[in-house]
Amino acid sequence: MGSELSSAPGAAVRAACRTGVLTGPTPGLALGYVQANLVILPRDWAFDFLLFCQRNPKPCPLLDVTEPGDPEAKSVAPGSDLRTDLPAYRIWKNGELVEEPADITAYWRDDLVSFVIGCSFTFENALLAAGVPVRHIEQNVNVPMYRTNIACKPGGRFSGPLVVSMRPLTPNQAVKATQICSRFPRAHGAPVHFGDASAIGVRDIVQPDYGEAVETRAGEVPVFWACGVTPQAALMQAKPPFAITHKPGHMFLTDLRDTDLEGE
Amino acid sequence: MGSELSSAPGAAVRAACRTGVLTGPTPGLALGYVQANLVILPRDWAFDFLLFCQRNPKPCPLLDVTEPGDPEAKSVAPGSDLRTDLPAYRIWKNGELVEEPADITAYWRDDLVSFVIGCSFTFENALLAAGVPVRHIEQNVNVPMYRTNIACKPGGRFSGPLVVSMRPLTPNQAVKATQICSRFPRAHGAPVHFGDASAIGVRDIVQPDYGEAVETRAGEVPVFWACGVTPQAALMQAKPPFAITHKPGHMFLTDLRDTDLEGE
């Protein structure tokens, strides 16, 4: 099934989630379609979170925001149902992870607002297509992610550190990657840092805070991008009474093509 | 005073407004500094308007959104006071324009949220610097603006037509303008249409809905950009009980440089 879904459209992956056929991670599925992070909050918290995203567009590039109670991501995936169309979710209560269900229909409320947020898979596809290596894909592990000492701009009750992902590249590849990723401001855009990890508060590059360490080879420098885990870190800090997110790596497949996120 | 302020920083124009020295329009002032549209709404309406802007980034590119009750545009103009730092404002009640004061201190409330929105002056400076003519500046009139038959994506209680501004250019200049404006997605970005005005519902090019008509010369076509008057049209349609905007042409001067709005 995995291989069928790799060349399927985004809607086919959503259908596979909805029918319970797919409960695993989504990297490599529906290649060329935009995958997205998901954050769901009660309306009472939604304005603050929308402010937080507006002020921190690199880690939190908004692709779609729903009306309160509407489970359909009308703009990026008409006909979708955000309650069933992801392979796995996380339920948060007071900033604590309490459950990881495959369906959130039982948790749905009329006041929930969903935020669909761009994801690095989009620019990784573009990097690979341009011959720039992506080490964690080569090594078949999750991308290494680090909490930095760079503070996000607070938005209402939300604040927290910028979380970054890291890919080792040669300087020449890093320049190429910067050019390519600059084309995708709604998929985290250009890197935020390269080289000395301690300059952004990363103590030990082989001990990521999320994901798994990857090999940095001779002649390569670590290159850091703003990461979609940043809003989850802000959620843990703000401790809203109730929130839902995707389970990391288990993303929402949209109808957008990667190329739709280029430029404006 | 006009000529002094034309080469002054944004903060000097804000100070001139605050002290009552400047009550006139701002085009040509603090050249190189980003000028912005302003919309102020009660918190109860702010989430809907933030949704509307998020869904319609070409007419409503957000540069800053304040916390409820905070009159300072902390991100784009630290130390500013949005109640006094514009030359003139418009007070709206139930979608009707009721007053045009030079100061809104008397109207301020603890629940007001301010939206600072990018403006075409930014890309006009870039066009002029590149030798692309801007007819309404040559003719010393307000840019002609038209309501189109293109509907904005609704956001909560806000909806309405896309309003566009028009500048006549030769095809060659239009290509150059498209390249230049694509660099400024937070100042309305690339044009939305050129040529046949009736295709976007503009009945009579010499009778703009806002601003003044300009001459289109032999070999030129009308080129249309998303316009910052769009949110005012949405306000008039949604009829919130209370709202404040800038008076057209009387913009908010930020500390941002035009070049800060390039790219991401």
Side-chain angles (χ1 to χ4, degrees):
Chain A
M1 179 208 65
S3 61
E4 282 168 39
L5 286 181
S6 69
S7 56
V13 174
R14 296 200 300 273
C17 296
R18 195 180 299 187
T19 53
V21 173
L22 178 69
T23 56
T26 53
L29 302 188
L31 280 170
Y33 285 86
V34 170
Q35 302 204 16
N37 300 281
L38 178 67
V39 172
I40 302 177
L41 283 164
R43 191 195 193 293
D44 174 41
W45 286 74
F47 178 69
D48 286 8
F49 190 71
L50 196 43
L51 272 187
F52 182 79
C53 293
Q54 197 276 325
R55 291 177 186 168
N56 298 283
K58 290 204 78 153
C60 311
L62 288 173
L63 302 182
D64 205 354
V65 185
T66 64
E67 300 288 322
D70 185 355
E72 180 186 358
K74 286 199 170 64
S75 171
V76 298
S80 63
D81 187 333
L82 290 163
R83 298 170 296 191
T84 55
D85 289 2
L86 281 76
Y89 301 82
R90 286 183 154 180
I91 308 293
W92 303 80
K93 289 190 175 161
N94 303 311
E96 301 282 332
L97 173 62
V98 295
E99 209 190 328
E100 290 194 341
D103 181 310
I104 55 166
T105 306
Y107 296 92
W108 196 253
R109 299 166 19 173
D110 283 348
D111 67 340
L112 293 182
V113 177
S114 300
F115 298 80
V116 177
I117 298 171
C119 159
S120 57
F121 295 171
T122 299
F123 72 70
E124 288 179 350
N125 288 342
L127 292 178
L128 290 172
V132 175
V134 180
R135 186 63 35 78
H136 66 275
I137 294 179
E138 286 172 14
Q139 300 193 248
N140 199 28
V141 296
N142 285 328
V143 66
M145 291 165 276
Y146 307 86
R147 293 165 73 95
T148 69
N149 61 8
I150 303 169
C152 290
K153 288 185 189 168
R157 290 162 283 183
F158 290 98
S159 61
L162 177 69
V163 177
V164 294
S165 60
M166 190 279 283
R167 293 158 192 82
L169 296 173
T170 67
N172 187 268
Q173 289 165 344
V175 168
K176 203 166 173 184
T178 300
Q179 292 173 316
I180 290 167
C181 293
S182 295
R183 291 173 9 218
F184 297 101
R186 292 198 294 159
H188 302 311
V192 293
H193 183 61
F194 64 85
D196 179 13
S198 68
I200 56 170
V202 174
R203 259 168 292 180
D204 190 349
I205 201 84
V206 301
Q207 298 203 321
D209 295 300
Y210 313 90
E212 292 160 76
V214 296
E215 184 193 358
T216 299
R217 296 178 188 155
E220 291 180 340
V221 292
V223 182
F224 300 92
W225 276 261
C227 173
V229 169
T230 305
Q232 291 200 24
L235 274 182
M236 291 168 69
Q237 197 154 317
K239 303 188 198 312
F242 184 67
I244 304 173
T245 66
H246 68 289
K247 180 177 171 179
H250 299 62
M251 317 303 282
F252 177 58
L253 258 297
T254 71
D255 289 353
L256 298 177
R257 301 300 194 116
D258 287 342
T259 48
D260 290 334
L261 293 199
E262 289 194 60
E264 300 179 47
Chain B
M1 179 208 66
S3 61
E4 283 168 37
L5 286 181
S6 69
S7 57
V13 174
R14 295 200 301 272
C17 295
R18 196 180 299 188
T19 53
V21 173
L22 177 68
T23 55
T26 54
L29 302 188
L31 278 170
Y33 285 85
V34 170
Q35 303 205 16
N37 300 281
L38 178 67
V39 172
I40 302 177
L41 283 164
R43 191 195 193 293
D44 173 41
W45 286 75
F47 178 70
D48 286 7
F49 190 70
L50 196 43
L51 273 187
F52 182 78
C53 292
Q54 197 276 323
R55 292 178 185 166
N56 298 284
K58 290 202 78 153
C60 310
L62 287 172
L63 302 182
D64 205 353
V65 186
T66 65
E67 300 287 324
D70 186 355
E72 180 185 358
K74 286 199 169 64
S75 173
V76 299
S80 62
D81 188 333
L82 290 163
R83 299 170 295 192
T84 55
D85 289 2
L86 281 76
Y89 301 81
R90 286 183 155 182
I91 309 291
W92 302 80
K93 289 190 174 160
N94 303 310
E96 300 284 331
L97 172 62
V98 295
E99 210 189 327
E100 291 194 339
D103 180 309
I104 56 167
T105 306
Y107 296 91
W108 195 252
R109 299 167 18 174
D110 283 347
D111 67 340
L112 293 181
V113 177
S114 300
F115 298 80
V116 177
I117 298 171
C119 158
S120 57
F121 296 171
T122 299
F123 74 69
E124 288 179 349
N125 288 342
L127 292 178
L128 290 171
V132 175
V134 180
R135 186 65 33 80
H136 66 274
I137 294 179
E138 286 172 13
Q139 301 193 268
N140 199 28
V141 295
N142 285 327
V143 65
M145 292 165 275
Y146 306 87
R147 295 166 72 96
T148 69
N149 62 7
I150 303 169
C152 290
K153 288 185 188 170
R157 289 162 282 185
F158 289 98
S159 61
L162 176 70
V163 177
V164 295
S165 60
M166 191 279 283
R167 294 158 191 83
L169 297 173
T170 67
N172 187 268
Q173 290 165 343
V175 168
K176 203 167 174 183
T178 300
Q179 292 174 316
I180 291 167
C181 294
S182 295
R183 291 170 13 215
F184 297 100
R186 293 198 293 159
H188 302 310
V192 293
H193 183 62
F194 64 85
D196 179 12
S198 68
I200 56 171
V202 174
R203 258 169 293 183
D204 190 351
I205 201 80
V206 301
Q207 297 203 321
D209 295 301
Y210 314 91
E212 291 159 77
V214 297
E215 184 194 357
T216 300
R217 296 176 188 156
E220 291 180 339
V221 293
V223 182
F224 299 92
W225 276 262
C227 172
V229 169
T230 304
Q232 291 200 25
L235 274 182
M236 290 168 71
Q237 196 153 318
K239 305 190 197 311
F242 184 67
I244 303 172
T245 65
H246 68 287
K247 180 176 170 179
H250 298 63
M251 317 303 283
F252 177 58
L253 258 298
T254 72
D255 289 353
L256 298 177
R257 301 301 194 115
D258 287 341
T259 49
D260 291 334
L261 293 199
E262 287 194 60
E264 300 179 48

